[in-house]
Amino acid sequence: MGGLASLSVLSLPPARYGRPSASLPRKGTPMKLILSCLMALTLVIFGAPSQAQDGPLRIEITEGVIEPLPFAAPTFVAEGAQAQQYAQEITQVVRNDLTGTGLFRLISQDAFISQITSFESPVQFADWRAINAQALITGAVSTDGAGRVVVKFRVYDVFAGTELGQGMQFAGTADGLRRMGHKVADQVYSRITGEGGYFDSRVVFVSESGPKDNRAKRLAIMDYDGANLQYLTDSSSIVLAPRFSPNGDRVLYTSYQSGEPRVHVLDVGSVQSRILPSQSGTMSFSPRFAPNGQRLLYSATNGANTDIYSMEIATGQAAQITTAPSIETAPSFSPDGSQIVFESDRSGTQQLYIMPAGGGEARRISFGEGRYGTPVWSPRGDLIAFTKQNAGRFHIGVMRTDGSEERLLTASFLDESPTWAPNGRVLMFSRETQGETGSSALYSVDISGRNLKRVTTPSGGSDPNWGPLQ
Amino acid sequence: MRITTFTSLALIATIAIAGCTRADRFGEGADGAGGAGGMAGANAGVVPGSANDPTSAAYFNQTIGDRVLFAVDQSTLSPSAQDTLRQQAQWLTSNPSYQAVIEGHADEQGTREYNLALGARRANAVMEYLVAQGVAESRLRFVSYGKERPIEVCSTESCYMQNRRAVTVIAGGALS
């Protein structure tokens, strides 16, 4: 579907929308979610009036959204007194996730004509059309005696007068309320945009505090929206550029704990960190996992020369991937693991190259003005995100894997370190401000260049790395 | 929901890191690195360990100069840098009990990982020069801090030029 064309469908007359009598198969089969041992979150798809999946309520993200889609999300119905607080919290997470994308606009409850007092009551579509709610999300929250919280929800295409997808329910413990909200929002986002969600995900980054000439750095992990922040290290050593494993169970990072930069791996489940083997007298840094989680790429410096190496994590066996006498660093795998993109100054300035993951001939892909670094392959495989330095400014940008269609998404005194959201539609990066009082903070931006915003962290932050959808 | 996990994680991380020592963070030289033990009393009126005690780290840092500076994105040694390094090499040769760690640094105009590699190039250039001047390689090692340890914090060339440096940090000595 074309981007703007599909958007304009949203304002077409209702007649075109609904095919309520169509008998359609349900989308997919019930999923089994595998979650942490700390919260058994179960998912049930429950009986619902099954309706058209291919309705018109759809946002095409790549083209950018000029007018956010208005939606109503009445506070989920609390089924029982204890659920009241939970219902409010979950609903708020859903609202914040959706509006935070810049693709949706929340309609104030003050405007509502209908109230949703029961999850099962028929929806009065006319009342929601009258306030121009394109999408309606209804939900209910209940608790059982065993401390479990259950949230149910449905999404409606108001102008079509149909349900979008099927009702679902998630169950978990009270400390998993935010995750339940993120899961609901991921479903809503996914049904309306046709893209994978990214709300139920975490970010590992370097938390920074103090002035530039005495900056303390420590690893921290948090939900994508900044909630539930926990520190993973103290600030006694410089730590740099943490990177999640493909399933989020481990984090690779560079630490000066031994006095020199060395790659470490931290196991998130068992909470153990260990240094990876490296040749004595060399520095190792810039690690990144292979898509299978068994290997990593990293840079090692020997004398003046920095090259890219590959290592099997279990055995510590390393192989040299690049051999040029120049600086080769910041490697990142293609999603299928067959190729790598990296930066090199072999031409005289930093530029981006792609080569087979096992070694071989490298092909330069960046040809614009300026210097290009920190390339990261999109999880969808279609784009490379990078940092560009030109004429005294820094930019976060994306290009196709053949180097074409370069688009700069940001510009500032110092932007760097882009990382992809799990769905490949949003980038997070760090931005350092200028001068004596300069500090670093995390930002995110759509690949359309829209919705640039700061990610809330308690102090400064740099080198974000976005983990997988949980 | 992961509070339990991360509390214990933080604990272990703390334990793991406790006891580690950090190299001189700012490349300001190794105050009290042991130079006092050198040739105390050899020259009347010279306070051992002070900048006018030619065997002291302070003398090395202040009188000879412990650092050389580089042009943007370069690791070439300028003539004045080479002059400083020749004196550093002479000092190291006549004070054989000292070791040195050469710290390579970059200014903030550059991506983090590239700057780490660039800092290594600069430190390596210094190390190779000192070795060529006769300093035993076994007494030297280098580490790059990239742009992590600026000494000047303004965002103009006057600060950047001070940050694009390689600092020879003296350690040891006093092997009486």
Side-chain angles (χ1 to χ4, degrees):
Chain A
M1 278 175 103
L4 295 174
S6 71
L7 258 186
S8 66
V9 170
L10 299 172
S11 55
L12 287 177
R16 176 162 168 202
Y17 290 164
R19 282 185 288 157
S21 60
S23 156
L24 290 164
R26 297 195 175 157
K27 189 183 185 183
T29 49
M31 291 182 273
K32 173 113 176 139
L33 296 176
I34 299 167
L35 294 163
S36 82
C37 55
L38 293 171
M39 185 181 94
L41 193 64
T42 55
L43 162 65
V44 177
I45 297 182
F46 52 89
S50 70
Q51 300 293 354
Q53 276 295 316
D54 52 350
L57 186 61
R58 195 152 178 104
I59 300 175
E60 199 79 17
I61 297 171
T62 45
E63 303 295 323
V65 171
I66 288 126
E67 192 62 38
L69 184 143
F71 76 103
T75 303
F76 287 7
V77 176
E79 297 177 342
Q82 215 206 328
Q84 198 104 41
Q85 174 75 25
Y86 298 161
Q88 272 174 10
E89 277 186 55
I90 292 174
T91 313
Q92 201 51 47
V93 169
V94 175
R95 290 172 182 155
N96 290 348
D97 281 347
L98 293 173
T99 54
T101 63
L103 303 174
F104 299 89
R105 179 173 62 77
L106 180 70
I107 296 173
S108 161
Q109 302 222 96
D110 299 342
F112 292 178
I113 299 166
S114 275
Q115 302 299 327
I116 303 288
T117 50
S118 153
F119 185 61
E120 299 303 337
S121 306
V123 166
Q124 304 302 312
F125 287 110
D127 291 349
W128 300 102
R129 279 182 207 124
I131 60 169
N132 195 33
Q134 306 268 355
L136 168 69
I137 303 158
T138 66
V141 178
S142 57
T143 55
D144 67 10
R148 268 163 43 103
V149 181
V150 176
V151 57
K152 310 181 270 195
F153 72 97
R154 292 185 198 278
V155 188
Y156 294 95
D157 178 342
V158 170
F159 282 78
T162 61
E163 192 178 0
L164 191 64
Q166 292 166 292
M168 277 187 176
Q169 116 182 0
F170 298 106
T173 47
D175 58 358
L177 288 183
R178 293 191 66 84
R179 282 199 62 193
M180 285 189 257
H182 290 317
K183 288 217 165 287
V184 172
D186 274 327
Q187 281 292 324
V188 175
Y189 175 92
S190 211
R191 292 176 190 188
I192 294 176
T193 65
E195 307 281 349
Y198 61 90
F199 307 125
D200 186 25
S201 62
R202 295 199 292 173
V203 170
V204 62
F205 68 105
V206 175
S207 172
E208 300 198 353
S209 54
K212 277 184 185 180
D213 59 352
N214 190 15
R215 185 133 326 154
K217 295 192 168 200
R218 47 199 308 211
L219 289 191
I221 193 168
M222 64 183 186
D223 295 350
Y224 96 99
D225 58 1
N228 292 319
L229 182 137
Q230 301 289 335
Y231 294 103
L232 304 181
T233 67
D234 67 16
S235 57
S236 61
S237 309
I238 304 173
V239 286
L240 306 172
R243 273 86 189 245
F244 271 119
S245 61
N247 66 6
D249 65 341
R250 286 159 295 158
V251 170
L252 288 168
Y253 64 102
T254 302
S255 168
Y256 279 70
Q257 193 181 333
S258 68
E260 294 175 320
R262 293 254 189 257
V263 176
H264 291 60
V265 60
L266 182 145
D267 189 290
V268 174
S270 71
V271 199
Q272 299 290 327
S273 181
R274 72 181 169 96
I275 192 164
L276 289 177
S278 60
Q279 204 189 321
S280 119
T282 64
M283 313 187 323
S284 59
F285 57 101
S286 194
R288 206 178 285 271
F289 277 99
N292 69 7
Q294 306 302 306
R295 302 186 70 82
L296 74 147
L297 292 171
Y298 64 101
S299 277
T301 292
N302 201 345
N305 185 17
T306 298
D307 274 308
I308 293 167
Y309 293 74
S310 162
M311 184 189 290
E312 192 175 69
I313 296 171
T315 62
Q317 204 135 42
Q320 190 168 351
I321 302 293
T322 64
T323 53
S326 42
I327 292 174
E328 275 72 39
T329 188
S332 167
F333 275 100
S334 62
D336 68 1
S338 69
Q339 300 178 86
I340 67 173
V341 63
F342 62 97
E343 61 172 77
S344 167
D345 69 349
R346 61 185 66 180
S347 72
T349 59
Q350 270 174 291
Q351 299 293 338
L352 307 184
Y353 295 79
I354 285 177
M355 68 184 277
E361 202 172 323
R363 163 179 108 249
R364 179 168 164 182
I365 62 164
S366 59
F367 291 98
E369 272 181 56
R371 297 158 61 171
Y372 295 78
T374 77
V376 194
W377 215 302
S378 148
R380 302 162 64 104
D382 55 345
L383 296 170
I384 307 289
F386 56 83
T387 303
K388 176 169 175 161
Q389 232 183 308
N390 189 32
R393 302 278 282 173
F394 279 73
H395 308 270
I396 301 298
V398 293
M399 61 172 66
R400 302 196 65 81
T401 56
D402 62 2
S404 66
E405 296 180 40
E406 174 178 325
R407 283 204 310 276
L408 299 183
L409 310 178
T410 72
S412 91
F413 166 69
L414 210 177
D415 287 349
E416 67 172 319
S417 313
T419 180
W420 290 95
N423 70 354
R425 290 307 183 201
V426 180
L427 290 164
M428 197 177 286
F429 60 97
S430 45
R431 171 170 287 182
E432 175 98 23
T433 53
Q434 201 167 350
E436 287 82 352
T437 57
S439 63
S440 189
L442 305 185
Y443 283 76
S444 67
V445 66
D446 278 14
I447 56 166
S448 64
R450 292 192 166 83
N451 201 34
L452 174 72
K453 57 177 188 171
R454 188 166 172 172
V455 180
T456 310
T457 51
S459 58
S462 63
D463 294 358
N465 185 255
W466 210 320
L469 203 57
Q470 299 184 88
Chain B
M1 70 199 62
R2 288 189 162 79
I3 285 167
T4 312
T5 311
F6 288 109
T7 307
S8 43
L9 176 64
L11 257 175
I12 289 178
T14 308
I15 292 162
I17 287 164
C20 96
T21 56
R22 173 189 286 160
D24 173 48
R25 289 178 46 198
F26 304 102
E28 294 291 7
D31 296 332
M39 308 230 326
N43 285 317
V46 171
V47 180
S50 75
N52 55 9
D53 170 3
T55 66
S56 70
Y59 179 88
F60 181 90
N61 295 339
Q62 292 165 34
T63 309
I64 294 175
D66 63 348
R67 66 199 58 200
V68 296
L69 305 180
F70 296 87
V72 176
D73 200 18
Q74 295 300 315
S75 56
T76 313
L77 298 169
S78 68
S80 84
Q82 292 182 30
D83 187 49
T84 302
L85 293 178
R86 268 193 298 274
Q87 293 180 59
Q88 286 190 6
Q90 277 168 18
W91 188 91
L92 283 163
T93 307
S94 42
N95 293 278
S97 60
Y98 288 88
Q99 319 272 312
V101 179
I102 300 140
E103 298 180 349
H105 299 267
D107 66 32
E108 68 184 349
Q109 313 168 92
T111 49
R112 194 176 313 288
E113 289 156 334
Y114 182 81
N115 277 355
L116 270 182
L118 178 60
R121 261 186 192 161
R122 288 174 175 158
N124 184 71
V126 167
M127 183 158 144
E128 284 185 345
Y129 195 90
L130 294 176
V131 169
Q133 295 291 312
V135 181
E137 197 168 347
S138 58
R139 295 172 61 199
L140 305 174
R141 63 183 186 90
F142 75 79
V143 61
S144 173
Y145 286 95
K147 61 175 175 178
E148 305 306 315
R149 293 295 180 226
I151 46 168
E152 298 293 338
V153 295
C154 73
S155 295
T156 58
E157 178 55 22
S158 64
C159 288
Y160 290 162
M161 65 184 296
Q162 300 298 322
N163 290 334
R164 292 189 301 264
R165 68 201 192 277
V167 183
T168 307
V169 178
I170 298 301
L175 301 176
S176 50

